[in-house]
Amino acid sequence: SVTEIRSGFTAIKANIQARDPIRTLSILSHPQSLHKVKSSDRCCIIHNLFNFYMDKVFKHCQTEDSYINRKISSIANSFLSIKKKLEQCHNQNKCLCGQESTEKFKQILANYEGLNITSAAIKSLGELDILLDWMEKSR
Amino acid sequence: EDALLPSPQNISILSTNMRHFLTWSPVTIQGETVRYSVEFQGEYEREYANESWIPICECSLITATVCNITEDISATVAYNLRVRADTGARRSQWGTLKGFFNRITTSLTPPPMKVIADGYHLLVELKDMGPAFQFCVLYWKKGQESRMHWKMVKDVSSTVHLDTMEAGHDYCVKAQTYVETINRSSSFSQTQCVRAQGGRSLRL
């Protein structure tokens, strides 16, 4: 559940963000914050972002710290559990992507690809609360 | 490679009220202390992370034959678990749990409950069973089972006020747990009835 993701993230947030030296860039919030996304595009953005985190973020966040790795595993498996539910909406065409959300997601990928993989993955993981806050506020 | 130790057998899960324990039979070697190490693998690891396994450091080189895996079973997906034996000089193959474990199969027991008649106030005390638990409390005036009331309780750190009772009447209460993350409930507890002030207050 999102609650469990948030508690897992809270446990490692400081450690993960300390590993991200690049303070001037954001993956999720540049140039526009998620909060400007129309509610009709919400499902599509969440669906794309969950795939983004599963495919491009968690696997590149391995650390030397076993505790951190276990918490990342917890978050990733919770993501997978929610993603499978989102898949059902997506398959029933209830999760269509408008032009704006498609552009928004392209921008997030561009931000990600602007850094080397490990830095981009760590920064994306460090910004997880931005996604969680937006998901809860726009619920 | 030294002669291998036999791998642990009878690997199983004991899971009650969202607390999960991996257990196995001991490997006995005359004159040697055998230690065990446990690893887990979630569905994410199988599908996205090259089927990698993650060690549980609290259960690395332990002599006990049980490991609390609750912290790591933190999503409603299928988990694999394995354990191996180690004497320092020799090590066994991994013994793997037969089949996956999903926390959705945990057994949920009715919650311990204490019903109190405090004058005209119907109160209930519930035990804190952890952050995953909510409680559904049903209460009714005895004889009016068709007019049950219910209250969803999330915070059980203090006594819960259910209702203001009519003098001398009996009121009954029962409760069940609900775990949102697996969307399941326990069976109901035993019904407990009390009598409001204005008659002898006794537990019926």
Side-chain angles (χ1 to χ4, degrees):
Chain A
S1 70
V2 174
T3 310
E4 288 174 314
I5 292 173
R6 189 179 287 280
S7 72
F9 177 68
T10 302
I12 62 172
K13 176 178 174 178
N15 182 297
I16 293 297
Q17 290 185 348
R19 295 168 190 262
D20 173 17
I22 308 165
R23 285 289 161 221
T24 52
L25 274 178
S26 166
I27 303 285
L28 297 184
S29 301
H30 174 75
Q32 273 181 14
S33 96
L34 280 172
H35 294 277
K36 293 202 188 297
V37 168
K38 285 189 301 194
S39 59
S40 56
D41 285 359
R42 184 174 174 274
C43 180
C44 159
I45 285 282
I46 291 178
H47 182 248
N48 283 332
L49 282 175
F50 268 60
N51 285 334
F52 167 71
Y53 273 88
M54 299 301 289
D55 295 331
K56 291 180 178 294
V57 175
F58 296 127
K59 62 179 72 173
H60 299 303
C61 289
Q62 280 293 306
T63 73
E64 73 300 334
D65 185 324
S66 155
Y67 174 78
I68 299 292
N69 293 344
R70 285 163 72 184
K71 284 298 176 188
I72 292 173
S73 167
S74 293
I75 294 168
N77 279 289
S78 290
F79 256 68
L80 180 56
S81 171
I82 293 174
K83 177 174 146 31
K84 288 199 280 185
K85 289 175 189 160
L86 284 173
E87 218 68 63
Q88 293 163 23
C89 295
H90 198 259
N91 297 341
Q92 295 158 22
N93 283 321
K94 292 178 187 160
C95 201
L96 301 178
C97 291
Q99 172 68 20
E100 204 173 310
S101 54
T102 304
E103 286 307 317
K104 176 71 198 169
F105 186 62
K106 274 186 191 164
Q107 179 62 61
I108 289 171
L109 285 182
N111 294 342
Y112 175 89
E113 275 140 20
L115 300 172
N116 75 70
I117 276 190
T118 304
S119 303
I122 286 288
K123 178 175 277 297
S124 303
L125 181 56
E127 293 185 2
L128 196 53
D129 49 356
I130 294 174
L131 172 57
L132 297 175
D133 290 347
W134 172 67
M135 281 173 66
E136 284 176 355
K137 276 192 186 111
S138 61
R139 201 196 296 232
Chain B
E1 171 95 341
D2 290 335
L4 280 177
L5 286 182
S7 53
Q9 300 297 309
N10 304 318
I11 300 168
S12 63
I13 296 269
L14 296 174
S15 175
T16 305
N17 292 330
M18 296 296 269
R19 288 173 53 78
H20 323 300
F21 295 84
L22 186 73
T23 69
W24 57 90
S25 298
V27 172
T28 48
I29 305 292
Q30 197 66 35
E32 295 202 60
T33 301
V34 178
R35 296 177 184 278
Y36 307 94
S37 296
V38 176
E39 294 187 345
F40 73 94
Q41 177 194 74
E43 197 167 333
Y44 166 79
E45 281 74 30
R46 278 194 303 285
E47 291 185 11
Y48 290 84
N50 308 311
E51 303 191 0
S52 52
W53 290 84
I54 299 176
I56 298 177
C57 44
E58 293 85 355
C59 298
S60 280
L61 298 175
I62 59 173
T63 53
T65 57
V66 60
C67 172
N68 184 346
I69 58 175
T70 304
E71 273 299 303
D72 294 293
I73 307 294
S74 54
T76 308
V77 294
Y79 282 87
N80 249 331
L81 288 133
R82 68 183 185 181
V83 55
R84 78 177 160 198
D86 195 315
T87 60
R90 294 188 294 157
R91 182 179 277 182
S92 78
Q93 297 281 2
W94 288 103
T96 304
L97 179 70
K98 285 190 178 54
F100 295 122
F101 171 65
N102 189 316
R103 66 179 183 178
I104 207 165
T105 62
T106 193
S107 69
L108 296 176
T109 59
M113 174 184 81
K114 182 181 176 189
V115 179
I116 301 163
D118 179 8
Y120 298 115
H121 296 290
L122 178 62
L123 310 177
V124 65
E125 282 179 2
L126 292 155
K127 182 181 164 220
D128 185 348
M129 296 175 70
F133 284 81
Q134 300 173 55
F135 301 83
C136 174
V137 182
L138 295 185
Y139 55 97
W140 64 95
K141 188 191 283 189
K142 198 166 189 179
Q144 295 187 9
E145 279 68 11
S146 60
R147 292 179 58 199
M148 274 191 187
H149 306 277
W150 65 276
K151 181 173 272 195
M152 211 62 196
V153 178
K154 289 193 176 183
D155 173 19
V156 291
S157 54
S158 56
T159 304
V160 179
H161 182 274
L162 294 177
D163 210 347
T164 303
M165 302 183 281
E166 287 175 39
H169 279 263
D170 299 334
Y171 285 75
C172 299
V173 181
K174 62 181 181 181
Q176 65 178 167
T177 61
Y178 172 65
V179 180
E180 188 177 13
T181 51
I182 59 174
N183 194 26
R184 279 185 48 219
S185 297
S186 71
S187 52
F188 275 100
S189 61
Q190 289 278 325
T191 296
Q192 291 180 36
C193 300
V194 292
R195 177 167 298 174
Q197 174 178 299
R200 240 169 348 101
S201 169
L202 45 87
R203 189 172 305 286
L204 301 170

